[in-house]
Amino acid sequence: MYQAPRIACARLVFGQTPHLSRAFISTANGPTGLAAVQQGFFAPKIAPAVPTRRRLSSGNSQPREFFPSHDTPKIRFSKPAWEHPIYTEEQMNSVIVAHRQTKNWSDWTALAAVRVLRWGLDLATGYKHHDALKKGDNKFVMTEKKYMIRNVFLESVAGVPGIVAGMLRHLASMRRMQRDHGWIETLLEESYNERMHLLTFLKMYEPGIFMRAMVLGAQGVFFNGFFIAYLISPRTCHRFVGYLEEEAVLTYTREIEDIDNGNLTAWKTLAAPDIAVGYWNMPEGKRTMRDLLLYIRADESKHREVNHTLGNLSQKTDPNPYVSEYKEPGKPHPVKSIEYQRPTGWERDDII
């Protein structure tokens, strides 16, 4: 007996083929919908599969599903490996755009690399927003879709440095048979956090084949380039990430300003997806797209501070100040949250 249609339809029910249309099921003869599949009925006449594509529109305040969770018989919920610290609204609103001045050749190298990367990202995403506003050229004015494309591309690259640095320090610790002094956990957590940013945006926008190809190429080049660079100069790499996060804070600040100025009308009523609500513990009444951007910007500001701080330390002997217990805990010092913010990083003499 030929079983292929039933197998294909069962895969659809359990989420293994998320891009197929639900019309694929509803055209079965006999019992309709999921009941038809569960009872084993399937007619030879099947509507063609229609790929789903999410759109950002002002008429829909709920983000559409892209990668639905898979139900299992025994597991109810999987908590994040690293629970996110609680941010207050006052702390998030106090995040500012800042830039650390270069002091040596290492800083200059890192800043130059970020400027090249920023130029490539602007070119790939067509970003000329503020210049276009000044000239009155509506062709390059950023819309919700353009911002989402930029955010997805940015976050797909931003998750690379932490995992590469953490992996290399992990291998070095085992190879040298020495402790790492707490750096590995912070670097891996940073990469995890950036991935959560990406997953959140993917709940609201589905990239096409061309963008997926761009992400694949950019990730391959960036991973290998950062891998080699970290072997040569970890300090320069942390400074590079610090400057990169400065650009991220700037981007999200402009998005928030555009929402406030009425330039992104669709995002005014867009609700944050459930994955974001759970990860950031977003309170009731503070779960809009603007609130989501405040949380993400705060995360980026923390990565900015962390990497500028790590770039100021001895890469082999200094402990990680973000997981250390201080003798005078009442004084401002590096912490995982944004309670004590230092946009350009903590200097070594102040914390070590």
Side-chain angles (χ1 to χ4, degrees), residues 155 193-201 280 296 299-300:
E155 298 297 348
N193 177 256
E194 297 287 9
R195 187 179 67 90
M196 290 301 296
H197 294 176
L198 175 62
L199 294 180
T200 298
F201 287 132
W280 280 283
I296 294 178
D299 285 345
E300 304 295 5

Side-chain angles (χ1 to χ4, degrees), residues 1-262:
M1 184 175 180
Y2 184 60
Q3 299 290 330
R6 184 182 301 178
I7 295 173
C9 202
R11 287 179 177 173
L12 176 60
V13 174
F14 292 102
Q16 296 182 19
T17 53
H19 293 286
L20 297 183
S21 171
R22 289 188 179 272
F24 185 78
I25 297 179
S26 63
T27 53
N29 291 336
T32 61
L34 296 180
V37 179
Q38 293 168 351
Q39 296 178 26
F41 294 94
F42 199 87
K45 295 182 180 181
I46 305 171
V50 180
T52 61
R53 187 170 297 277
R54 287 161 294 166
R55 295 189 178 95
L56 295 169
S57 66
S58 57
N60 182 14
S61 61
Q62 293 293 334
R64 300 192 181 188
E65 194 70 16
F66 177 32
F67 46 93
S69 59
H70 298 281
D71 293 331
T72 57
K74 298 181 179 180
I75 297 177
R76 181 174 64 88
F77 177 71
S78 298
K79 292 184 178 181
W82 286 282
E83 293 190 5
H84 196 278
I86 302 297
Y87 294 160
T88 66
E89 186 174 3
E90 181 182 0
Q91 289 173 344
M92 292 188 293
N93 287 328
S94 65
V95 172
I96 62 173
V97 175
H99 173 64
R100 180 185 175 89
Q101 297 298 322
T102 55
K103 298 181 179 180
N104 49 47
W105 70 267
S106 178
D107 293 353
W108 277 108
T109 302
L111 182 59
V114 168
R115 285 176 175 174
V116 171
L117 187 63
R118 172 64 188 263
W119 172 83
L121 179 62
D122 289 349
L123 181 65
T125 59
Y127 184 81
K128 295 182 180 179
H129 182 42
H130 282 70
D131 291 340
L133 287 177
K134 294 177 182 178
K135 297 178 181 179
D137 189 353
N138 294 330
K139 179 181 179 181
F140 294 103
V141 171
M142 295 297 286
T143 62
E144 294 89 349
K145 182 179 179 180
K146 289 181 179 180
Y147 266 135
M148 196 61 72
I149 292 174
R150 183 177 180 83
N151 293 346
V152 169
F153 194 84
L154 175 66
E155 298 297 348
S156 68
V157 174
V160 172
I163 195 70
V164 172
M167 175 188 66
L168 289 176
R169 295 190 71 91
H170 171 73
L171 295 175
S173 178
M174 294 192 299
R175 184 172 63 251
R176 297 170 181 169
M177 301 182 183
Q178 296 177 352
R179 292 187 58 188
D180 183 67
H181 305 293
W183 288 50
I184 296 173
E185 293 90 338
T186 294
L187 294 171
L188 295 182
E189 185 175 5
E190 175 185 309
S191 182
Y192 177 86
N193 177 256
E194 297 287 9
R195 187 179 67 90
M196 290 301 296
H197 294 176
L198 175 62
L199 294 180
T200 298
F201 287 132
L202 289 176
K203 283 288 187 178
M204 296 178 282
Y205 175 79
E206 180 179 355
I209 296 178
F210 178 72
M211 186 175 181
R212 289 173 181 269
M214 289 181 60
V215 169
L216 179 64
Q219 189 178 90
V221 172
F222 188 52
F223 180 94
N224 289 283
F226 196 84
F227 181 93
I228 295 173
Y230 203 88
L231 290 174
I232 298 173
S233 178
R235 184 189 303 275
T236 304
C237 287
H238 285 298
R239 188 70 71 215
F240 166 84
V241 178
Y243 286 134
L244 185 65
E245 299 295 356
E246 290 180 0
E247 297 295 336
V249 172
L250 176 62
T251 295
Y252 291 122
T253 298
R254 288 176 173 174
E255 292 182 27
I256 294 170
E257 290 175 349
D258 277 353
I259 293 178
D260 294 339
N261 294 333

